[in-house]
Amino acid sequence: MSGDHDHHPSPLGPHDWSHGAPHNSYAPIVMSIGIGLFLFVFAGMFDYNLELSEHEYTGHGLLWLFVAIIITGLGLLIWWRQDLSFDGTYEPLATGAPFRNIQIRKVGMFVFLMSEMMVFTSLFSTYMRYRLGLRRCDDVFADGLFDPVTNPTGWQEAVPVTCFEPASHLIASSWWHLAPGAINTFALIISSFTIVQALRYAKKTDIDEELRRKRVTMFLGTTWVLAIIFLTLKMVEWFVGFYIPDLGFIHEHDIKSLVAEGYTIGNDHYQHHSYVDEATGAHMTANIRVSASTFYVTTGTHGAHVAGGIIGLTYMTFKAWRGGYTPSNAVSIEYFGLYWHFVDLVWVLVFPFFYLY
Amino acid sequence: MKMNNSSRAIAALAVMAGVLLLAPLVSSLPTGIGGSSIQTAGCNCHNGVSDSSVVADIQGFPEQYNASETYSLSVSFTGGPAQAGNANLGGFNLWASDGVFSPTDGLTQLWGGSVTEIAHTEAGNDYTSWALDWTAPESGKDVDFILHVNSVNGDGVQTGQIDQWNRADYTLQSSFGVIGDVIPEAPEPFVVLATLILITLALVAITILYGFYRSDPDGFSWETFSPWIADWLTTTDHKKIGTLYFLAGLFFLGIGGIMALFIRVQLATPGNDFLTQDQYNQFFTLHGTTMIFLAAMPLINGFANWMVPLQIGAPDLAMPRLNAMSFWLQPVGALLIFTGVFSGQGADTGWTGYAPYVVDMVNGHDGNTFWAAGQIMLVASSTLTGVNFLTTIAVMRAEGMGWMQMPLFTWSILVANLMLFLSIPAFGVGLIQVYLDRVVGTAFYDVGAGGDPLLWSHLFWYFGHPEVYVVIVPAFGVISEVLATSSRRSIFGYRSMVFAMAGIGVVAFIVYGHHMFTSGMSPVLRFVTMVTTMLVAVPTGIKIFNWLKTMHGGSLVYRTHTLWALGFLVTFTLGGISGMFFPSIAMDTHLHESYFVVAHFHYVLVGGTVFGFFAAIYYWYPKMTGRMMDERLGTLHFLTAFISYNGVFWPMHRLGVWGMARRHHTYFISTDDFSNLPPEAADWNLFISVSAFLFFLSNFIMVANMVISYLRGSEAPADPWGGWSFEWMTASPPPTPSFGRYEDGVWYDLPKLRDANEHVTSEPGRFARWFNRLMVPDDGNEEVTH
Amino acid sequence: MRVRLFPSLGDRMAGITPLFDNLWNEYIIWSFLVGGFTFIWLYHHSLWYKSEEGEDWDNKDGIEVGVFPKHYDNFTLEIAWTVLPFFLIVYLALISWGPLDAIWSSAEADGGYGDQCASGELSNMTWSESEGRYVAECYHIIYVEAYQWGWNFDCLEVTVPDLCEVGTAVIDGTPAASLTLKQGEVYLAAMGSADVTHAPWFVSWGVKEDVLYSQGSMDLNGDGLSDNLALTENGDYALSGSIGELGLMTVWLPADNVENFLLLCTEYCGDNHAYMLAQINVHA
């Protein structure tokens, strides 16, 4: 590569990295346009119904949403195409204290993760503010049915109570409900292991090139699969639910999805099966919109970060399969690995706080 | 040759004229100054709502009127909650653009102190129809009538929305046909704004094209233009990105200024109706958002991108492509924000976007969604910028440049970016919550579902306060550079300057409560916030005194940048002093949300940040373009801008104490019935508005100076001012790469900092060495660089 | 154009309340001192240390391109202008601390205004020079409600019309609510909002407070009143629960002078924010 003088470095890639040529790139402007278009179109896909005071999905502009995603994807492809030819001769080390001899981009990744920590801190702050500020729904239920004389502070069937209903009330109610979340936890933890293995093999100088290519591809691919499992199980848990037939040693279970149970952001008439007054059969209704919002947006933001990781992993697996990782550029796997460990760490905090507590 | 030049000039002028012709005609002032809001805002008696079941009617109009003839009119309505037998039934307000009303009985009266407006009396409240006379004018113009009727729920209870009103419009023609002037149409402010923006864009495009032409007059063709423009759109070079940020920042500074002028025209007299309330609210929101996010931050980033790698002796930033990404997110974000504006339903929440109004789907504007979306992109841009600069400054400093040998501008960018990228994610999360609340219906700020508006306040101000320090600290850095170089001394107290900036950076995060003193804070928190806010004055004061001491014993050479730095010292000190009044909570309860606040933050933001960056422009322009700017034009700019600026903002202190509230589209002068502002408040407002126009126009002197100097200025040497930092070592403008050369994975010939002090302190200190030992070095498996 | 550039020496710059004015005057004095010191220093140095283009100058700090210049500092001076401003700030914080409780406090804590007045009892508000604030023997509770875009008042249990009366007024052509209070009385305003966040500014008293949405400001039980209010036996309205229960905000309103002034809204709340007015009348 280094003998090849490319006089007109293409801003669309592939790119010759070894001559300090200006690294022009169309990716930034194309991706910005795609992201802007996405946010614009997405805002128009829902309508606010003034009479019912609620939002409804209309799907207007779905085509344009796809156009926006495609444009963003094109930008990303340009970025990757420039990176694909990167054979690792440009990985400078820091010169000054306190990061002397650490790679520049590794320092950059750590700094970026600091800002990501602030994102999740803000989301957790929102959650804790509402969690601790609103009364729990089962505490409100325990107040008992309203009676003008004996229980004036009780709840009434027809009047929705504004209270906090943690998702754990549904998810932690049985082992089967917890299963997708638990499997996800293991999946992420194992994927952190596999990404380190990928790095290890990529850095090994004493093995055959073909073996390195196979191993790195295998480990990166496994990480990718585990991440896909994570997102799939999350979708199952949120939207699909699953059914376990009676197998003798396992009883029949019909695990409904969160959405099917009514745990949605728009639900101001939520009725959990345990909120039934035994004596009268009155069923307490709750306005759980705040609880659902904090749950879905926080776990969803984490899921979005996993999805971002999957996009990165797709590219990396492809590059590994093409033999693009050698000991001289293996450190770029480490950059991703840092991000991935961070995503895993956030999950280790999200899972107990949102699924168990 | 001469013929060619003049014909080209004519062509350029023709293009500009064409643009101006295409823009819609902007008409003059609307139909006079009235005191009533009813014509523009509708009836708000008893908090009524407009309802189509109420039908207004006037009888008695002729087909065409005759001059000076009197007609008997009958105003009535049907519908609405009025019921016979109630205490009150209804009311009306009839306004005419010309002619004279006269009441015929005790049920109607002239209104608003004018003969062109008539309404009901208290006795008239018990009716649903009224009789009155109208005498036609002599002019023969078409006369417009606006009738509002209110159908009253007369049961005597005063809560909730109970009345229903409606409006009817009529136009009466004279029998003469059209004679004399046509009544001018009221201008549509958004049309005017759009026109001005388009004109500005056209001028910028023409200037850029002309600059391109002048760089190679013989090669003015698509074949040479296409790669040139493609280079600019795809560049990752810090110098070009710096220029892009800078141009974008200047452009939006102008747009924000135009919006400010709209605001000032509206406020020039009390009761003005140049802008409706609705429009005014959108204008002040856009003014704030544009100035902070689209003008101040990009200007800072422009200089940071240009100067930080030069100052630390690095060939570029740590992650050049990410830097380009940071930039391109900004114009697209700006487009999203302005989309809301041009839909006519732009964001109107103020730049602070308080909940729950920001997620109000009934009364709130759709533009709020795009305002949130655009700012989400800007948050991403700022986060990436912060990561990039922190990494660059931490790891790419030249040999011999320890932390305590960096130039102060670089230090200021470091502190600013550290504050920025740690605080802006909170804002981003808040914006995402607002965006989702408005689009998909989450309930973060839905008060009915238990949402808490104070959550937004906390998330916003946790970002918002460090943000204002983010925009001022780089100005501090610039002033340090400029004053030291102008005085030909090193800056006094370098170490304490660094610690003061770092101190400001840390304390900035714990004082944000001072924006929420009236939001019901606990007494303990109020006191803590009060004390910490006051304490921020200590490091800031240290810096000001250090700057003054720097001049001591120096040989001060007066250039335009020196003037601006001295001007900064005046206005920023005044802004800082006025800021000290707010933490004293007993005074804050009066001054909060008044024009005293507006005066304070404009003194520190314009008098601080903008003046600091004017100084930076005059200081670094020769380095960036290779041309010297004209000193006489610079001095003229300084004098006119500095004086008119003070004329705009100094009187606002007094207006605020008198009782003029901010974010109000009009203000109230005391009458016999109530006291609010003294009569001279109107005079001062007019004075401020005129000064604002002068200030706006004076800045074109600088723009003209920049353009003319670029084309015809004398060539700039590498170090025109005698500075010591690395940027003065490179040519003007610097080559690419700025320093050294890159071969086979290794950088050669990067600069090395020498030190005039005897004890060279560029070796890492104890903390740095300990920190370094915590990490695993990466030079084991990688190819060694150098 | 009549422009008053310089207030007469006897004219109090602010003229809001004695509490505000005392603090204001103190701060103005210190502003002049600090500002004057800074500007005199600035003007002196900018003129005294001028040098002309081309003149010889003393390169005492070793300024040279590519060389970090000599340190120029003076430890004593730097300590001086760290410590002295710090002392000034501590002093300013101390004088600002005292009047804090006079501005807000909920009715549950002692605001220095005694307990709630019995029916017909007068506050007898006086200025306490030693405490630097108004004190009173008791206070009256009144109700203020904000909505898009106007104000509703209710005198609650202050049934004596001399002490509190609600009416209407026309301000600049806009109908608005009016509240008539008595000079020398202290009122505690219990406030709620029916929709978004508002903030009443009682301009002449220099008092404002954010008013957030409270559930009781709506009329959910359909009796034609906000749920915050309930009809009592006497035919008046009273709060339907305690201030804390209802989630209302509170602020002290000391009616010190006879005047009529405007109540403005100072938290942006939508289209008609500027016209969300009320008139406060204080009679003798």
Side-chain angles (χ1 to χ4, degrees):
Chain A
M1 265 287 191
S2 47
D4 200 334
H5 289 258
D6 187 0
H7 290 289
H8 298 289
S10 162
L12 291 172
H15 190 82
D16 178 3
W17 287 84
S18 54
H19 290 275
H23 311 301
N24 285 43
S25 171
Y26 270 111
I29 186 172
V30 171
M31 280 183 74
S32 301
I33 292 173
I35 295 170
L37 190 62
F38 181 90
L39 286 172
F40 181 78
V41 172
F42 187 76
M45 290 183 65
F46 292 78
D47 260 351
Y48 184 72
N49 187 322
L50 274 166
E51 272 132 31
L52 299 173
S53 293
E54 61 186 30
H55 287 82
E56 356 182 82
Y57 173 71
T58 58
H60 281 144
L62 194 58
L63 171 68
W64 281 103
L65 198 74
F66 282 120
V67 168
I69 293 174
I70 286 170
I71 294 176
T72 315
L74 273 175
L76 208 51
L77 277 173
I78 297 172
W79 200 302
W80 288 341
R81 191 159 173 245
Q82 293 184 294
D83 186 73
L84 199 55
S85 54
F86 173 60
D87 63 354
T89 55
Y90 183 68
E91 200 58 67
L93 300 178
T95 51
F99 299 113
R100 204 186 289 260
N101 291 328
I102 308 294
Q103 266 119 9
I104 289 178
R105 293 198 283 176
K106 194 182 299 185
V107 175
M109 179 54 80
F110 267 105
V111 172
F112 171 66
L113 292 177
M114 274 165 69
S115 81
E116 287 288 273
M117 229 169 54
M118 297 306 298
V119 172
F120 283 99
T121 306
S122 307
L123 287 168
F124 270 78
S125 300
T126 305
Y127 173 60
M128 293 315 288
R129 189 262 169 269
Y130 284 128
R131 179 79 194 245
L132 300 174
L134 293 172
R135 283 188 78 201
R136 281 181 66 127
C137 288
D138 41 13
D139 286 342
V140 173
F141 176 70
D143 279 349
L145 195 56
F146 172 77
D147 183 281
V149 175
T150 56
N151 193 8
T153 56
W155 52 269
Q156 292 175 282
E157 183 167 33
V159 179
V161 176
T162 303
C163 57
F164 198 93
E165 171 78 348
S168 57
H169 199 199
L170 284 169
I171 300 174
S173 59
S174 81
W175 286 112
W176 285 110
H177 278 95
L178 209 45
I183 296 174
N184 277 350
T185 311
F186 281 116
L188 273 189
I189 294 177
I190 294 171
S191 69
S192 279
F193 172 71
T194 52
I195 194 83
V196 173
Q197 289 295 74
L199 174 67
R200 181 171 150 246
Y201 272 96
K203 290 214 291 209
K204 265 181 192 289
T205 44
D206 53 352
I207 57 172
D208 175 46
E209 241 179 68
E210 182 58 22
L211 181 65
R212 182 191 309 122
R213 184 185 77 86
K214 284 213 178 79
R215 284 272 184 274
V216 173
T217 311
M218 177 185 85
F219 281 115
L220 284 178
T222 313
T223 313
W224 185 92
V225 167
L226 288 167
I228 294 281
I229 289 176
F230 179 92
L231 280 187
T232 311
L233 285 178
K234 188 176 282 299
M235 292 299 107
V236 164
E237 179 183 52
W238 283 13
F239 298 115
V240 180
F242 53 95
Y243 174 74
I244 310 286
D246 190 347
L247 296 170
F249 58 94
I250 306 175
H251 297 296
E252 183 194 15
H253 289 276
D254 184 17
I255 309 296
K256 298 215 288 210
S257 68
L258 286 175
V259 165
E261 296 264 24
Y263 196 75
T264 60
I265 58 175
N267 195 349
D268 50 5
H269 283 84
Y270 174 73
Q271 294 185 313
H272 190 272
H273 57 79
S274 67
Y275 295 148
V276 179
D277 181 63
E278 275 164 26
T280 57
H283 204 158
M284 184 178 94
T285 46
N287 184 336
I288 54 142
R289 291 183 59 214
V290 170
S291 334
S293 299
T294 53
F295 173 77
Y296 285 114
V297 170
T298 312
T299 54
T301 306
H302 175 262
H305 281 74
V306 172
I310 289 175
I311 294 172
L313 273 170
T314 311
Y315 167 68
M316 287 168 68
T317 314
F318 174 71
K319 180 169 177 174
W321 179 70
R322 287 267 299 256
Y325 287 113
T326 64
S328 53
N329 69 352
V331 71
S332 54
I333 298 181
E334 185 171 1
Y335 302 152
F336 180 82
L338 285 170
Y339 171 77
W340 197 246
H341 291 327
F342 174 77
V343 167
D344 189 11
L345 175 66
V346 170
W347 177 253
V348 165
L349 291 170
V350 164
F351 185 62
F353 268 97
F354 284 81
Y355 283 63
L356 302 178
Y357 166 50
Chain B
M1 263 308 157
K2 258 196 152 169
M3 276 297 288
N4 275 343
N5 275 344
S6 59
S7 60
R8 286 203 169 94
I10 290 171
L13 282 169
V15 170
M16 277 196 265
V19 167
L20 285 166
L21 279 173
L22 280 173
L25 289 167
V26 174
S27 323
S28 61
L29 281 179
T31 51
I33 297 167
S36 177
S37 67
I38 293 180
Q39 277 73 43
T40 46
C43 194
N44 49 19
C45 328
H46 309 151
N47 192 32
V49 280
S50 75
D51 196 304
S52 52
S53 72
V54 176
V55 179
D57 189 38
I58 306 184
Q59 296 295 325
F61 277 139
E63 283 234 14
Q64 288 171 326
Y65 72 86
N66 295 319
S68 305
E69 201 168 298
T70 301
Y71 299 94
S72 297
L73 304 177
S74 164
V75 170
S76 64
F77 74 86
T78 54
Q83 276 168 33
N86 274 350
N88 298 317
L89 288 179
F92 78 95
N93 176 298
L94 176 61
W95 171 89
S97 63
D98 210 340
V100 176
F101 283 117
S102 32
T104 52
D105 53 30
L107 302 180
T108 61
Q109 57 176 320
L110 290 179
W111 195 253
S114 92
V115 295
T116 52
E117 202 174 337
I118 186 166
H120 61 276
T121 59
E122 262 215 43
N125 232 182
D126 300 335
Y127 294 83
T128 59
S129 73
W130 302 268
L132 52 104
D133 278 354
W134 176 74
T135 307
E138 289 177 5
S139 61
K141 299 179 206 172
D142 287 356
V143 180
D144 293 334
F145 289 81
I146 300 178
L147 171 66
H148 283 84
V149 290
N150 188 35
S151 177
V152 173
N153 174 345
D155 61 1
V157 175
Q158 222 183 332
T159 19
Q161 296 177 336
I162 41 169
D163 289 4
Q164 290 175 348
W165 58 270
N166 208 345
R167 163 181 168 148
D169 292 67
Y170 300 85
T171 304
L172 190 58
Q173 287 178 324
S174 85
S175 60
F176 303 157
V178 177
I179 290 183
D181 296 336
V182 177
I183 298 175
E185 255 177 54
E188 183 48 60
F190 287 114
V191 170
V192 176
L193 179 67
T195 310
L196 289 169
I197 292 179
L198 284 173
I199 293 176
T200 316
L201 270 172
L203 286 172
V204 169
I206 289 170
T207 313
I208 291 175
L209 263 178
Y210 189 60
F212 172 69
Y213 162 70
R214 282 290 296 256
S215 65
D216 182 13
D218 294 319
F220 191 64
S221 66
W222 177 254
E223 284 77 40
T224 44
F225 181 73
S226 159
W228 182 85
I229 196 75
D231 182 41
W232 278 95
L233 291 179
T234 63
T235 183
T236 59
D237 175 32
H238 72 99
K239 297 191 283 294
K240 292 219 177 73
I241 292 181
T243 306
L244 284 172
Y245 265 117
F246 186 72
L247 288 175
L250 271 183
F251 173 72
F252 280 110
L253 192 68
I255 301 297
I258 290 172
M259 290 189 216
L261 291 179
F262 274 80
I263 292 173
R264 283 318 315 178
V265 170
Q266 167 63 18
L267 292 176
T269 62
N272 204 353
D273 57 356
F274 175 65
L275 294 174
T276 64
Q277 294 203 62
D278 196 31
Q279 292 162 342
Y280 180 85
N281 298 336
Q282 295 176 53
F283 270 87
F284 74 69
T285 306
L286 252 305
H287 169 73
T289 303
T290 304
M291 285 305 209
I292 297 222
F293 293 108
L294 299 175
M297 311 258 298
L299 278 175
I300 293 168
N301 268 323
F303 283 108
N305 267 288
W306 255 101
M307 294 304 157
V308 168
L310 291 179
Q311 286 197 336
I312 62 176
D316 200 320
L317 283 184
M319 290 168 279
R321 234 178 348 178
L322 216 57
N323 195 21
M325 183 76 186
S326 285
F327 174 72
W328 286 109
L329 283 169
Q330 294 231 338
V332 182
L335 211 56
L336 269 180
I337 295 174
F338 276 80
T339 313
V341 172
F342 293 115
S343 69
Q345 283 267 302
D348 68 331
T349 56
W351 85 284
T352 51
Y354 267 28
Y357 182 69
V358 71
V359 296
D360 188 339
M361 298 302 288
V362 179
N363 285 319
H365 292 192
D366 293 334
N368 288 337
T369 313
F370 296 114
W371 178 85
Q375 291 195 94
I376 290 172
M377 292 184 72
L378 298 180
V379 165
S381 163
S382 293
T383 310
L384 294 176
T385 303
V387 171
N388 226 336
F389 274 97
L390 275 164
T391 310
T392 307
I393 296 174
V395 307
M396 288 171 76
R397 280 167 286 127
E399 202 179 319
M401 187 180 282
W403 290 95
M404 285 311 212
Q405 278 81 38
M406 292 199 307
L408 280 173
F409 178 67
T410 305
W411 261 116
S412 71
I413 295 295
L414 175 69
V415 171
N417 274 298
L418 200 57
M419 281 194 285
L420 179 66
F421 95 111
L422 287 177
S423 63
I424 212 164
F427 183 48
V429 166
L431 286 171
I432 290 174
Q433 290 168 340
V434 166
Y435 182 79
L436 288 176
D437 266 17
R438 293 192 64 91
V439 176
V440 305
T442 49
F444 288 103
Y445 300 114
D446 183 332
V447 285
D452 183 14
L454 280 180
L455 177 66
W456 167 266
S457 295
H458 281 282
L459 285 175
F460 181 81
W461 286 116
Y462 175 77
F463 154 72
H465 192 79
E467 165 67 11
V468 302
Y469 289 133
V470 164
V471 297
I472 194 64
V473 165
F476 289 166
V478 170
I479 297 300
S480 297
E481 302 272 344
V482 168
L483 275 180
T485 306
S486 297
S487 316
R488 297 194 264 206
R489 296 217 59 174
S490 83
I491 194 83
F492 179 84
Y494 175 92
R495 292 180 72 95
S496 56
M497 287 297 233
V498 171
F499 284 117
M501 276 196 288
I504 292 174
V506 169
V507 176
F509 282 92
I510 56 178
V511 300
Y512 74 88
H514 64 232
H515 298 275
M516 301 167 63
F517 277 148
T518 57
S519 303
M521 293 168 80
S522 78
V524 173
L525 272 180
R526 271 184 239 148
F527 178 68
V528 168
T529 312
M530 175 172 90
V531 174
T532 47
T533 306
M534 288 191 178
L535 282 178
V536 155
V538 174
T540 317
I542 291 173
K543 293 186 78 69
I544 295 180
F545 296 136
N546 280 8
W547 284 320
L548 291 175
K549 187 78 171 76
T550 301
M551 294 195 286
H552 184 99
S555 323
L556 199 62
V557 176
Y558 274 89
R559 302 263 161 66
T560 313
H561 48 84
T562 318
L563 290 173
W564 279 112
L566 295 175
F568 168 96
L569 282 177
V570 172
T571 50
F572 181 73
T573 304
L574 289 172
I577 290 176
S578 70
M580 284 300 288
F581 285 70
F582 294 104
S584 176
I585 302 181
M587 286 198 284
D588 187 66
T589 49
H590 182 63
L591 299 174
H592 176 63
E593 290 287 303
S594 71
Y595 262 78
F596 197 90
V597 180
V598 177
H600 161 68
F601 68 67
H602 280 97
Y603 260 88
V604 287
L605 281 176
V606 182
T609 303
V610 176
F611 284 9
F613 280 91
F614 284 168
I617 289 173
Y618 286 97
Y619 186 63
W620 277 316
Y621 184 89
K623 176 58 54 187
M624 287 158 59
T625 59
R627 305 282 186 169
M628 303 294 285
M629 283 181 91
D630 187 304
E631 285 297 323
R632 283 173 326 178
L633 278 179
T635 310
L636 182 66
H637 172 224
F638 173 74
L639 287 172
T640 48
F642 189 77
I643 293 171
S644 57
Y645 159 83
N646 278 293
V648 179
F649 295 110
W650 185 254
M652 289 188 184
H653 290 103
R654 200 75 194 275
L655 287 172
V657 176
W658 275 335
M660 183 170 171
R662 69 183 278 217
R663 296 180 171 169
H664 280 201
H665 87 309
T666 188
Y667 46 94
F668 305 100
I669 306 295
S670 306
T671 66
D672 293 330
D673 295 324
F674 62 83
S675 71
N676 197 35
L677 299 176
E680 53 264 36
D683 302 330
W684 280 114
N685 267 297
L686 185 59
F687 176 76
I688 291 173
S689 296
V690 173
S691 303
F693 271 87
L694 290 175
F695 180 56
F696 180 77
L697 292 170
S698 70
N699 290 310
F700 284 105
I701 301 175
M702 179 181 75
V703 175
N705 196 353
M706 288 168 72
V707 173
I708 294 172
S709 305
Y710 185 74
L711 301 173
R712 288 206 302 241
S714 49
E715 282 207 14
D719 190 5
W721 318 125
W724 66 265
S725 33
F726 278 146
E727 76 262 33
W728 305 114
M729 256 170 52
T730 64
S732 302
T736 299
S738 322
F739 296 107
R741 63 180 205 286
Y742 182 76
E743 259 177 38
D744 289 331
V746 179
W747 277 99
Y748 296 96
D749 299 337
L750 288 176
K752 195 170 127 85
L753 182 69
R754 291 170 289 147
D755 200 314
N757 292 294
E758 277 162 19
H759 302 286
V760 175
T761 49
S762 69
E763 287 307 307
R766 238 175 312 159
F767 175 74
R769 286 199 304 267
W770 168 80
F771 195 84
N772 208 198
R773 276 201 293 272
L774 291 175
M775 292 177 284
V776 177
D778 288 312
D779 50 5
N781 298 330
E782 325 308 316
E783 288 180 15
V784 174
T785 52
H786 70 283
Chain C
M1 175 172 105
R2 218 184 92 238
V3 170
R4 262 177 49 214
L5 287 173
F6 299 105
S8 64
L9 281 175
D11 179 347
R12 265 192 327 209
M13 169 81 155
I16 308 296
T17 59
L19 196 156
F20 180 93
D21 294 343
N22 291 338
L23 271 176
W24 176 269
N25 293 338
E26 181 92 33
Y27 269 73
I28 288 286
I29 291 170
W30 284 109
S31 304
F32 268 102
L33 287 173
V34 171
F37 169 72
T38 309
F39 292 142
I40 291 171
W41 187 357
L42 172 67
Y43 291 135
H44 174 267
H45 278 20
S46 27
L47 297 170
W48 191 266
Y49 293 105
K50 256 182 73 146
S51 110
E52 288 309 319
E53 194 76 51
E55 238 176 56
D56 275 334
W57 55 281
D58 174 18
N59 193 353
K60 48 178 83 158
D61 293 322
I63 308 231
E64 195 192 322
V65 172
V67 178
F68 187 79
K70 294 211 188 90
H71 284 133
Y72 168 30
D73 46 27
N74 181 332
F75 191 64
T76 321
L77 270 181
E78 292 176 50
I79 291 290
W81 59 59
T82 310
V83 167
L84 289 174
F86 177 74
F87 284 152
L88 174 62
I89 280 165
V90 170
Y91 168 71
L92 291 175
L94 278 173
I95 63 171
S96 302
W97 186 8
L100 272 186
D101 279 340
I103 301 298
W104 324 259
S105 214
S106 62
E108 279 90 42
D110 176 28
Y113 298 117
D115 294 322
Q116 188 178 358
C117 295
S119 175
E121 197 187 341
L122 292 182
S123 296
N124 295 323
M125 183 174 80
T126 50
W127 175 257
S128 158
E129 201 57 53
S130 56
E131 292 184 57
R133 50 163 292 177
Y134 284 117
V135 289
E137 288 161 24
C138 67
Y139 61 86
H140 313 277
I141 302 185
I142 59 174
Y143 177 67
V144 177
E145 191 177 87
Y147 59 87
Q148 282 170 322
W149 290 283
W151 304 93
N152 285 327
F153 300 109
D154 198 291
C155 291
L156 295 179
E157 287 153 41
V158 188
T159 46
V160 178
D162 186 43
L163 289 176
C164 171
E165 219 177 331
V166 174
T168 57
V170 175
I171 302 170
D172 203 35
T174 312
S178 88
L179 181 66
T180 305
L181 304 174
K182 186 176 167 67
Q183 182 198 21
E185 301 301 305
V186 172
Y187 301 85
L188 180 74
M191 312 185 287
S193 161
D195 33 54
V196 298
T197 306
H198 303 268
W201 183 14
F202 297 86
V203 180
S204 200
W205 298 329
V207 164
K208 66 171 68 80
E209 179 82 0
D210 283 359
V211 177
L212 271 61
Y213 169 83
S214 69
Q215 202 166 358
S217 304
M218 314 268 278
D219 179 20
L220 292 175
N221 55 18
D223 58 356
L225 285 181
S226 326
D227 289 350
N228 286 330
L229 300 174
L231 203 53
T232 64
E233 299 126 4
N234 322 356
D236 315 309
Y237 298 119
L239 288 178
S240 55
S242 79
I243 291 176
E245 270 169 17
L246 295 174
L248 300 178
M249 269 105 320
T250 58
V251 71
W252 293 111
L253 306 179
D256 52 350
N257 298 324
V258 174
E259 54 195 341
N260 303 333
F261 61 91
L262 284 188
L263 175 73
L264 303 175
C265 180
T266 50
E267 187 53 61
Y268 181 75
C269 54
D271 286 351
N272 263 4
H273 169 65
Y275 269 98
M276 193 171 150
L277 309 165
Q279 185 159 331
I280 312 291
N281 307 310
V282 183
H283 64 89

